[in-house]
Amino acid sequence: MKALIDFDRARVFAIPAREDYPGFPACEGMLIEGPQGWGEFSPPRASDDLMAARWLTSAIEGGTVGWPDPVRGRVAVAVAIPAVDPQVASEIAAGSGCGAADVRVTGQPGDLSRLEAVRAALGTSGSIRCVVETAWDVDTAAELIPELDRAAAGLEFVQQPCATTAELAALRRRVDVRVAADVSTLGADGPGLPEIADIAVLTVGPLGGVRRALRFAERIDLPCVVSAAVGASETSMGLAGGLALAGALPEVSFACGLGTAAALVGDVVSPGRVLTPVEGYLPVAPSAPGPDAERVAEFALDDPERITWWRRRLSAARELL
């Protein structure tokens, strides 16, 4: 696959996160064109070369061998709710058209009122999930999760409340709310996952692409939810891979955590191709949307040192493919 791509012409971009989406990082990366389409290479800056190589495999998959055939044409997505005051959280939830919400929680008192506001906005039929991102130890999580569950009038699950497999296994014995584990951050294998989690969170970039994520899902005896990567942001081009995975999974029991494009001030695709949910759904496409020349020019990275850093990162990842 490497021979089919002109990596030297990969464009480097940087899109800031919106100020009203605290906790969401900026998106910085490279746009890579293959013979069949485009891909986005945007691993977190702190990730090592091996993880970057997985992101690169994912980035070039759709533009070379293509994605697996979907079994559904659209998937339900959850609106991303940042750690904001209740009124803003309510407005985001109500305006999204989504029937599910991924609510960021920090362990502070404001979490409870935020969850209450989102529940009021979604109604009794809405699904609320808490995104924690490994912030708590077992005792803290065991204390806070029941309070969060009551404030939300029922949580669908809580995502990655603790950092390690041992902590997650211990936590599951102490709470009634389902625990969702991001398998890419844990390094957990398929057979051992039912011991530490009720739900597996699949993220395309860190798992190395749609096909690898599908093979992982086949090995585990757990329901899966497809989500954007923890600690990273992706444009609509990158999020399209998650939609391809959700479209190809035999069963999708939960709304996908892919409603994060709104957290960025812009995108690299044309306004009509931005992945904004319509009535709570996003379409599954055969390939990622291509870049829009004006948007790419607007967000082109112009810092020579950072451009050099990205080109070196790409070169290091290529050597591991």
Side-chain angles (χ1 to χ4, degrees):
M1 291 192 297
K2 291 190 290 183
L4 301 175
I5 300 171
D6 185 359
F7 288 101
D8 293 336
R9 296 187 182 182
R11 309 170 193 181
V12 188
F13 70 92
I15 305 177
R18 287 172 47 176
E19 292 184 358
D20 53 347
Y21 271 71
F24 285 78
C27 181
E28 191 171 302
M30 307 180 80
L31 305 178
I32 299 176
E33 185 178 16
Q36 295 191 55
W38 290 83
E40 175 184 319
F41 175 61
S42 56
R45 288 176 64 88
S47 57
D48 60 22
D49 289 343
L50 180 59
M51 178 58 73
R54 293 175 184 165
W55 279 79
L56 182 56
T57 302
S58 178
I60 64 179
E61 179 185 27
T64 51
V65 297
W67 290 326
D69 292 333
V71 296
R72 58 187 61 82
R74 66 175 190 168
V75 294
V77 296
V79 59
I81 307 292
V84 291
D85 67 64
Q87 180 61 36
V88 175
S90 175
E91 292 171 356
I92 294 173
S96 70
C98 295
D102 285 333
V103 182
R104 298 293 177 107
V105 294
T106 62
Q108 302 301 311
D111 292 341
L112 303 182
S113 56
R114 186 181 315 115
L115 287 166
E116 291 169 352
V118 172
R119 171 57 70 198
L122 293 184
T124 57
S125 63
S127 300
I128 299 179
R129 303 90 71 92
C130 283
V131 179
V132 186
E133 295 189 0
T134 71
W136 302 330
D137 58 31
V138 175
D139 288 339
T140 301
E143 178 182 353
L144 292 178
I145 288 174
E147 297 179 6
L148 300 173
D149 186 45
R150 286 190 292 270
L155 288 173
E156 189 169 43
F157 58 79
V158 58
Q159 181 173 327
Q160 203 66 37
C162 303
T164 70
T165 56
E167 288 175 321
L168 290 174
L171 176 64
R172 286 186 70 222
R173 295 191 290 268
R174 296 176 59 179
V175 297
D176 295 327
V177 177
R178 286 181 291 189
V179 174
D182 185 341
V183 297
S184 65
T185 64
L186 292 172
D189 60 7
L193 270 176
E195 302 298 322
I196 65 172
D198 304 284
I199 300 164
V201 181
L202 304 179
T203 50
V204 168
L207 287 174
V210 176
R211 282 176 174 76
R212 288 184 175 179
L214 274 175
R215 289 199 296 270
F216 189 95
E218 291 170 355
R219 297 199 304 268
I220 61 177
D221 187 25
L222 282 180
C224 298
V225 59
V226 180
S227 182
V230 172
S233 287
E234 297 170 271
T235 72
S236 294
M237 188 183 297
L239 292 171
L243 286 172
L245 171 59
L249 282 170
E251 183 177 352
V252 178
S253 302
F254 306 98
C256 299
L258 298 171
T260 57
L264 300 176
V265 301
D267 214 309
V268 294
V269 302
S270 63
R273 303 297 300 277
V274 174
L275 291 179
T276 302
V278 176
E279 297 182 351
Y281 289 84
L282 284 172
V284 177
S287 62
D292 178 85
E294 291 185 8
R295 301 287 81 75
V296 172
E298 179 182 0
F299 296 111
L301 191 60
D302 57 7
D303 183 332
E305 290 187 3
R306 287 163 70 191
I307 291 173
T308 299
W309 185 92
W310 273 105
R311 298 212 175 279
R312 288 175 176 169
R313 156 141 281 203
L314 177 61
S315 178
R318 287 178 60 193
E319 291 299 318
L320 295 174
L321 295 188

